[in-house]
Amino acid sequence: DTNGLLSATGTGVSGSGTKTLTLAGTLAQVNAALATLKDSDPTTPSDTITLNATDSFGNVAAAKSVAVTVNGLPVTAAPATVIAGVGKSLAIAGVSVSETGNTSSETFTVVLADTNGLLSATGAGVSGSGTKSLTITGALAAVNASLATLKDVDGTTGADTITLATTDSFGNTAAAASVAVTVNGLPVLAVPATAVVGVGQPIPVNGLSLSETGNTTGETFTVTLADTNGLLSATGTGVTGSGTTNLTIAGTLAQVNTALASVTDNDPTTPSDTITLSAVDSFGNTTAASTSVTVTVNGRPVIGSPAAAIIGVGQAALIDGVSLSESGTSTGETFTVKLTDTNGLLSATGSAVSGSGTTSLTVSGSASQVNAALATLMDTDGTTPSDTITLTALDSFGNAAPTTTIAVTVNGLPVIAAPASVVAGVGKSLAVAGLGLSESGNTTGETFKVVVADTNGVLSA
């Protein structure tokens, strides 16, 4: 033999276990020994066994040779890692068996064991399908055809390993191969329980995000958002339906989360609103339950003020009845009220008051802070012409209140009319005619006090 070690048993056998084997004896003894002939080749190059025979008459048989193909060890190919969705059947591609040489008459057995998942495959020679231990037996082509249908279903998210052991019908064993299976969990949506938006304003819906345990590399996701009233918008890759009540975001986890961070809701009316969200991953897993955001739609700010006010010239007068309100919930919202006066000097006290003592006053802060300051509003007019206070308000959503005005009547100083002199008889009651009081403006609701003092006489009225 050029490479292999030959062996046989029986009478007249010599050189067994070497490259040269000799068999001598009767025809029956030689054939009996030839029937036990074995060849062991430690390497895979092609090999040749040459046979020569002579008989006791000295005759020589024509030489014969046997071309020996030495098949190598079986080799199992498998991906190092795969990613599966929990509870979903995953086709595991890239698993196969190969062997150098001529495998036409050879059979193979592959045993696959899974620590957690249930394995399955189809084809002749498959046993144990739907269990943790799967066996595939048959010719090389048949085994590989079954391996091409290999699937794994993992009901839990723990780390999982598939181990593969392959043997051929010569008794050779492939090096052990294993597949590390990462089992991804269900997609999880994080959303705020509530959100507050301003009517008619595109307001960001903060706090929306998507996550999934495991390895999301190469996985895609689709998030669907439905709004009962408002128009949803977002920017980024994979966004469709922007500006409608139904918004879809699709892409990788990073792309989806980038788009979710840009979601805005624009509600044209003030009734309460609900945004419902659901998500599905490319394994077909969905969020455990639909998630929703209760949206409170705040109305536009409204300024409450008196239509008119009457003040005295040169006197700081309280302008009562000025306030700010807004439907919805103003928690966390800020407001800015601007007051301008054509003539008078406006003032107020409180946090975030600016321009006090001028014709232009600004009050900013929460609704309670603004109303506390407006309750201290004063106007001082140094002249008597009619005056107007104009009020505007803006909330932090960008909504403005309708402009409101207060017509201010500035009453002049009181004026006493009296005769320059009168003549009275001693001891006689004299009616002092021509006495009177007047004041320019509107004295409705105003009160006056007149003190009359006499150096000698006794006064009565």
Side-chain angles (χ1 to χ4, degrees), residues 63-460:
K64 295 287 185 178
S65 64
V66 180
V68 181
T69 299
V70 185
N71 284 7
L73 300 176
V75 176
T76 305
T81 61
V82 295
I83 302 171
V86 64
K88 296 296 181 181
S89 179
L90 172 70
I92 302 179
V95 179
S96 65
V97 174
S98 62
E99 187 174 278
T100 59
N102 184 346
T103 60
S104 57
S105 60
E106 198 175 355
T107 59
F108 297 81
T109 299
V110 181
V111 177
L112 303 94
D114 196 321
T115 50
N116 296 313
L118 304 179
L119 300 169
S120 62
T122 58
V126 175
S127 61
S129 196
T131 71
K132 293 182 179 180
S133 182
L134 183 70
T135 301
I136 302 173
T137 303
L140 187 61
V143 166
N144 280 326
S146 293
L147 286 173
T149 69
L150 179 63
K151 293 182 179 180
D152 180 26
V153 178
D154 278 86
T156 59
T157 56
D160 189 27
T161 302
I162 301 171
T163 304
L164 301 96
T166 303
T167 58
D168 63 17
S169 50
F170 293 118
N172 280 325
T173 302
S178 63
V179 182
V181 182
T182 299
V183 185
N184 285 7
L186 301 177
V188 176
L189 279 164
V191 303
T194 61
V196 182
V197 302
V199 64
Q201 298 290 336
I203 305 300
V205 182
N206 295 318
L208 302 178
S209 67
L210 181 69
S211 62
E212 186 174 277
T213 59
N215 183 347
T216 59
T217 304
E219 193 175 0
T220 58
F221 299 83
T222 300
V223 177
T224 303
L225 303 91
D227 197 319
T228 51
N229 297 312
L231 303 181
L232 300 169
S233 300
T235 58
T237 304
V239 175
T240 58
S242 199
T244 72
T245 55
N246 287 280
L247 182 69
T248 301
I249 301 171
T252 66
L253 188 62
Q255 289 171 332
V256 167
N257 277 322
T258 297
L260 283 173
S262 72
V263 170
T264 62
D265 181 22
N266 188 344
D267 277 84
T269 57
T270 56
S272 296
D273 191 25
T274 302
I275 302 172
T276 304
L277 300 92
S278 61
V280 62
D281 63 21
S282 49
F283 293 116
N285 278 326
T286 59
T287 46
S290 292
T291 308
S292 62
V293 182
T294 300
V295 181
T296 299
V297 186
N298 282 8
R300 291 181 173 80
V302 176
I303 299 170
S305 65
I310 303 169
I311 66 175
V313 65
Q315 299 293 328
L318 179 67
I319 308 296
D320 200 13
V322 179
S323 65
L324 180 71
S325 63
E326 186 174 277
S327 63
T329 173
S330 60
T331 303
E333 194 175 0
T334 58
F335 300 84
T336 299
V337 178
K338 291 187 177 181
L339 306 93
T340 57
D341 195 320
T342 52
N343 297 312
L345 303 180
L346 301 170
S347 62
T349 58
S351 58
V353 174
S354 61
S356 198
T358 71
T359 57
S360 181
L361 181 71
T362 301
V363 181
S364 299
S366 66
S368 59
Q369 290 171 330
V370 167
N371 279 322
L374 289 175
T376 68
L377 178 63
M378 309 279 283
D379 182 20
T380 303
D381 275 86
T383 58
T384 57
S386 295
D387 191 21
T388 302
I389 301 173
T390 303
L391 301 95
T392 61
L394 187 71
D395 65 18
S396 49
F397 294 119
N399 279 326
T403 300
T404 303
T405 60
I406 303 172
V408 180
T409 299
V410 186
N411 285 7
L413 299 175
V415 176
I416 298 172
S421 62
V422 294
V423 179
V426 64
K428 297 296 182 181
S429 177
L430 172 69
V432 183
L435 298 178
L437 181 68
S438 64
E439 186 175 278
S440 63
N442 183 347
T443 60
T444 303
E446 193 176 1
T447 60
F448 298 83
K449 181 179 182 180
V450 179
V451 178
V452 184
D454 196 321
T455 51
N456 294 312
V458 178
L459 300 168
S460 64

Side-chain angles (χ1 to χ4, degrees), residues 30-83:
V30 168
N31 278 325
L34 285 172
T36 67
L37 179 63
K38 293 183 179 180
D39 179 21
S40 176
D41 278 85
T43 58
T44 56
S46 295
D47 190 25
T48 302
I49 302 172
T50 305
L51 301 95
N52 293 286
T54 60
D55 61 17
S56 52
F57 294 115
N59 285 322
V60 178
K64 295 287 185 178
S65 64
V66 180
V68 181
T69 299
V70 185
N71 284 7
L73 300 176
V75 176
T76 305
T81 61
V82 295
I83 302 171

